[in-house]
Amino acid sequence: RPTLRNSPGLRREVWRLRLAANRKADLPQRALEDLENLIQDGDTDPSFLLDRIYYLARLGDGERARRYAQEFVAAHPDHARGLEL
């Protein structure tokens, strides 16, 4: 029987749903936590990496936001949104 622990797809779907709800409710700290969970669980969607930068900056953690932005640009030099960073 699938559980959140043994089913990465199910676990990621729960975090995506939570992320959408936390975005809609304008809860940036919780949205950031969901993004971190998705990224740490191996989800490589570039939009999650960019959203992490946005939420870190919004929450006042400019140093981490800058570091992740530099990493993103280095890893995705041709990404259109990366050029905005």
Side-chain angles (χ1 to χ4, degrees), residues 6-79:
N6 70 12
S7 178
L10 180 60
R11 185 173 50 242
R12 288 178 187 160
E13 184 61 26
V14 168
W15 283 327
R16 284 185 195 103
L17 290 169
R18 283 175 36 117
L19 174 60
N22 286 323
R23 282 177 174 157
K24 188 170 185 171
D26 194 29
L27 297 170
Q29 182 62 49
R30 290 186 181 171
L32 178 60
E33 290 168 8
D34 294 330
L35 286 165
E36 294 286 6
N37 285 330
L38 284 161
I39 293 166
Q40 288 175 10
D41 200 43
D43 198 316
T44 58
D45 184 336
S47 68
F48 292 151
L49 301 173
L50 290 165
D51 288 347
R52 174 173 59 182
I53 295 164
Y54 166 78
Y55 282 113
L56 285 168
R58 183 171 172 200
L59 291 167
D61 194 347
E63 185 59 37
R64 279 183 59 209
R66 184 172 62 83
R67 182 170 46 93
Y68 283 127
Q70 290 170 336
E71 289 175 11
F72 183 87
V73 171
H76 304 88
D78 296 327
H79 193 283

